Amino acid sequence: MDQRIATVMTGFGGVAAASQLCLRGVSAREITRAVRAGDLVRVRRHALVDGTRWRDAKPWERHALRARAVAASFPDGSTLVLTHHSALAVWGIPLHGVDDRVHVSSTGGRRGRTDDRVSFHRPVPAPFVTDHRGVSLVRPAAAVIQVAALFGGDAGLVSADAALRSSRCTPADLVAAVESLGVARASSAPRRVVALADGRVESAAESRARWVFDVAGLAQPVPQVVVHDEEGRFVARVDFLLEDEGVVIEVDGMGRYEDIRDLRAEKVREDRLRELGYEVVRLSWSDLGDPGVVVRKVLAAVGRARLRSA
């Protein structure tokens, strides 16, 4: 990579506008050459990302790079603000069920033109806008509510739980956002997300499961419960427990078991839970896409638990 380009990209955290490169003596032709060589990736007109960082990034990390590059590419003095999951990605909050567009608004009230790369939204009240590492964006609670309103509760709850878990926002912040942004008038999902959000939940799969439980009308289990045996010795820390029924619910994310030894250890763990009188039900990532499957599995486990105690 041209040393001038490398210096600029490093200085701006792996992203830059074409104008920032031009100010340092890099011509448009040299930028095009770098894009063709893979040294740079053009994510939108004038918005550039370091090629190596882009190729090494996970999908959600790519969205943060794309969002920051697009933000950098707008003219100096613009009132562009990153919103929705574009803001969440820059905050480092996990995403699920969203698109690849960069979502923005303008505090000046002007609406840009939505295209296949960028979606423009109405202005966000000033108290919900801040700066993070040189990028103007909405606060995490506001972004969570926006995602829930646009993409649904499944997507919103994944980010809401993660934001609470990482202390990026508080339950009170979520309440303030849903009351002030006005998005709840068009969708019931934001209010349900606020009611359900729980920082004890530790993964996107667990958040998705809780949304399915709610949609299906199932009782919400207690998350992250430590189980001990009769002598008070630690047995397991389970994803969820239906305490009144004695049913443990474990949720597998994508690629949970990478080693056969992990799978064997999990079987031993489940056998020990059953010896203590618990029924165990496992929900896979694919199960979470079909509420009917989740309901059948959970209710079957509840039925077995009641027969045990009869």
Side-chain angles (χ1 to χ4, degrees):
M1 183 188 295
D2 183 293
Q3 188 57 49
R4 294 167 301 165
I5 295 176
T7 299
V8 173
M9 301 308 289
T10 300
F12 287 102
V15 305
S19 60
Q20 292 170 321
L21 291 171
C22 291
L23 285 173
R24 286 152 181 85
V26 182
S27 69
R29 180 174 296 178
E30 288 171 317
I31 292 173
T32 299
R33 189 181 303 130
V35 170
R36 288 174 179 168
D39 294 333
L40 296 176
V41 173
R42 198 189 305 273
V43 295
R44 192 175 188 256
R45 186 184 182 189
H46 307 312
L48 302 163
V49 176
D50 178 275
T52 300
R53 290 201 186 196
W54 180 261
R55 288 185 290 275
D56 291 345
K58 296 179 176 63
W60 54 91
E61 294 170 338
R62 284 189 175 187
H63 194 93
L65 289 168
R66 184 187 297 112
R68 290 174 51 232
V70 167
S73 71
F74 276 73
D76 290 341
S78 67
T79 55
L80 185 78
V81 175
L82 293 178
T83 64
H84 295 72
H85 53 286
S86 299
L88 292 175
V90 174
W91 284 112
I93 295 171
L95 311 176
H96 167 71
V98 295
D99 62 22
D100 286 332
R101 289 180 173 177
V102 176
H103 290 254
V104 301
S105 72
S106 170
T107 56
R110 297 178 61 185
R111 290 290 297 271
R113 186 178 66 184
T114 292
D115 56 34
D116 62 343
R117 301 291 181 90
V118 179
S119 290
F120 285 84
H121 300 273
R122 65 181 182 179
V124 178
F128 294 99
V129 177
T130 188
D131 182 274
H132 180 63
R133 296 181 180 176
V135 179
S136 183
L137 73 179
V138 297
R139 297 182 186 276
V144 164
I145 297 305
Q146 291 174 326
V147 166
L150 186 59
F151 296 98
D154 189 42
L157 191 58
V158 167
S159 293
D161 287 344
L164 292 177
R165 183 172 66 248
S166 61
S167 299
R168 289 293 191 184
C169 71
T170 67
D173 294 332
L174 292 172
V175 171
V178 80
E179 295 294 342
S180 301
L181 296 182
V183 294
R185 291 194 294 269
S187 169
S188 61
R191 290 195 184 279
R192 288 307 305 153
V193 165
V194 171
L196 291 168
D198 190 327
R200 294 175 294 175
V201 177
E202 295 184 344
S203 73
E206 292 171 25
S207 297
R208 291 188 66 205
R210 296 179 65 244
W211 182 255
V212 174
F213 299 154
D214 187 70
V215 170
L218 297 173
Q220 283 291 337
V222 180
Q224 302 305 323
V225 177
V226 175
V227 177
H228 298 91
D229 65 13
E230 300 90 338
E231 304 299 323
R233 292 170 297 199
F234 174 84
V235 174
R237 186 166 181 261
V238 300
D239 293 338
F240 296 112
L241 177 64
L242 286 167
E243 292 180 311
D244 292 342
E245 305 289 355
V247 172
V248 167
I249 303 174
E250 297 281 52
V251 186
D252 297 337
M254 295 179 288
R256 176 163 179 167
Y257 301 111
E258 298 179 357
D259 191 306
I260 188 64
R261 290 171 295 184
D262 295 334
L263 185 59
R264 289 170 180 161
E266 186 62 25
K267 184 181 184 305
V268 170
R269 176 175 173 274
E270 285 192 15
D271 288 344
R272 185 70 182 112
L273 286 168
R274 291 189 175 97
E275 290 171 2
L276 292 173
Y278 293 100
E279 280 297 324
V280 180
V281 56
R282 302 204 73 87
L283 301 176
S284 69
W285 183 266
S286 60
D287 289 340
L288 301 177
D290 187 342
V293 171
V294 174
V295 170
R296 286 194 296 273
K297 284 190 171 185
V298 172
L299 292 185
V302 169
R304 293 194 301 270
R306 289 175 178 173
L307 285 175
R308 274 192 178 209
S309 61

